[in-house]
Amino acid sequence: MSKPIIQIENMQFSRGDRVIYEDISLNVETGKLTAIMGPSGIGKTTLLKLIGAQLTPSSGSVLFQGTNVHTISRTKLYELRRKMSMLFQSGALFTNMSVYDNVAFPLREHTELDEDIIRTIVLLKLEAVGLRGAAELQPSELSGGMARRAALARAIALDPELIMYDEPFAGQDPISMGVLVKLIKALSKALNLTSIVVTHDVTEVLSIADYVYILANKRIIGQGTPAEIKQSDSELVQQFLQGTADGPVPFHFPAQNIADSFLGTAK
Amino acid sequence: MNFLQNLGRSTINKVTAVGASSIMLFGALFAFPIWKNVRLTIQQMYVVGVQSLLIIMVSGLFIGMVMALQGYTILVNYGAEGSLGPMVALSILRELGPVVTALLFAGRAGSALTAEIGLMKATEQLSSLEMMAVDPLRRVISPRFWAGVISMPMLALIFSAIGILGGHLVGVDWLGVDAGSYWSIMQATVEWEKDVVNGVIKSIVFALVVVWIALYKGYSCIPTSEGISKATTETVVFSSLSILGLDFILTALMFGIS
Ligand SMILES: Nc1ncnc2c1ncn2[C@@H]1O[C@H](COP(=O)(O)OP(=O)(O)O)[C@@H](O)[C@H]1O
Ligand SMILES: [Mg+2]
């Protein structure tokens, strides 16, 4: 097996006083589709931003193709980022330009290609996500699922080696969800992309992932192939897979004793 | 103890904000000489400059008319209504032109800039640029910064010109001041360097401050609806106060000690 494209080693991260990650180590294998699952607010988006070096961990390291993304110069980092691409939860299409110009944007920024060639590439990418007909629409005219597909077309415009999906299925109707699942799978196979899918939609992602990490309580609580994960005897993992409200992952945000807060007996 | 802690924390926060906004300013300043940015800057000049033109022209006209009306009622008592021209021209070129334009600009364009950048942040467009290896300071902040700094002095000059015409409209066409003395005494009194250039300098200083505040407030806002609304309000309040404070200092330096 080739070297992992992403290696995270003993990474810790806090926001202010709040610890988000206590100690995380994980690998993303080149060419595979890795899923990272965890409840909302656990820090999944944060993890992707740490990989993209928009945030810096308090200790530990993140290696992309063997390079520590947090210690290199800004110029080098920008070079690395051309090989990775991120699909944001909201799509993050530029609202002041059409779908066509959105997809053409990274090409115009980073290449010297003629408009003719750009046009061909953009239309091909849009065709791949089924939106060639929507090229001239404005982002405000798209439905949620279409916006995410348009953003996906933009994300693959420069043929990245790694693509990170932030909750691609959140808030989608069953049909759009099916379309997205199929697209993500098809893209990672056809373009031989490495994909990281961050999500809390268990069934969808287990059906397409090659390897799964489950995050909870500031660390990784389970990992393995989808089959291994389903067989896991960890209570935490089973709670997450079955969606039980309370269990090892508590339903309540940490708080003082309820009697104390109502009776004012706490200090 | 608590008081000291809070004082310390808020001081640290202020210093951090000054540092962060300076870093942003430098990012914006030094990104200018890139050719692609010139096109973006011109586009932004249309948004912040041309689209503010109407409100600036209408305000200039009315302020000129009011100045002439007020000036006439005072000057006519001393039979000095011939000096209406220089009175209107000097007060508009030196003070009202730069200051009112800057205040209007802060309300019209500054608040819009903050809201726009704040929304781009909230909808992850800025993060998305970062991840596409495009520096948002270069791509988004810098063109808006230069567009504002270039547009505002021009708007202030247009304001002053229209204000002086408004003064003519009321003073000469309505109240019957002699047109010849309106223009000739104005021409004899107004000095290019002392009055016109100083007004433009004021206007450039105000532009730098207003645009800097507006962009920094947007760039650093908390990306929620409340965060954006707070940032927009702060842009207008902080810019207006800075304009008035700086105006006093600049006036003292330019005209106070002679
Ligand atoms: N800009 C920020 N400043 C402070 N805290 C933040 C910020 N962004 C996210 N957080 C906090 O970090 C935690 C993890 O956020 P996030 O990574 O968005 O979670 P997820 O994507 O798993 O839902 C959340 O509790 C959130 O409140
Ligand atoms: Mg998230």
Side-chain angles (χ1 to χ4, degrees), chain B residues 61 63-69 84-85 88-89 92 160-184 186:
Chain B
L61 182 70
I63 292 215
M65 296 196 317
V66 169
M67 287 300 299
L69 208 51
L84 188 65
V88 170
I92 289 185
S160 302
I162 294 199
I164 291 170
L165 289 179
H168 185 274
L169 203 66
V170 167
V172 176
D173 298 334
W174 180 23
L175 298 170
V177 173
D178 179 48
S181 64
Y182 186 85
W183 291 119
S184 65
M186 187 192 299

Side-chain angles (χ1 to χ4, degrees), chain A residues 49 52 54 74 78 81-82 84 86 88-90 92-95 105 108-110 154 164, chain B residues 36 44 116 120 122-137 139 144:
Chain A
K49 288 191 171 170
Q54 287 192 28
R74 206 172 160 73
Y78 271 32
R81 279 187 185 157
R82 292 184 199 184
M84 45 170 110
M86 180 156 167
F88 284 86
Q89 198 165 349
S90 57
L93 290 172
F94 302 125
T95 40
F105 183 85
R108 289 177 181 151
E109 282 296 317
H110 291 310
R154 184 178 69 182
M164 301 186 269
Chain B
K36 260 184 199 163
Q44 285 303 319
E116 188 192 13
M120 289 181 85
T123 53
E124 298 176 312
Q125 293 180 49
L126 294 182
S127 279
S128 174
L129 279 172
E130 276 269 320
M131 286 305 297
M132 276 186 228
V134 176
D135 186 351
L137 286 181
R139 177 75 206 192
R144 285 167 175 75

Side-chain angles (χ1 to χ4, degrees), chain B residues 202 242-256:
Chain B
K202 272 189 179 180
S242 323
I243 292 164
L244 297 171
L246 280 170
D247 184 46
F248 180 75
I249 296 172
L250 288 172
T251 306
L253 290 176
M254 291 168 171
F255 307 101

Side-chain angles (χ1 to χ4, degrees), chain A residues 45 89 166-167:
Chain A
T45 306
Q89 198 165 349
D166 190 7
E167 314 228 0

Side-chain angles (χ1 to χ4, degrees), chain A residues 15 18 20 39-47 89 166-167, chain B residues 223:
Chain A
R15 283 223 189 249
R18 219 171 112 222
I20 306 279
S40 297
I42 198 80
K44 301 185 297 297
T45 306
T46 308
L47 182 63
Q89 198 165 349
D166 190 7
E167 314 228 0

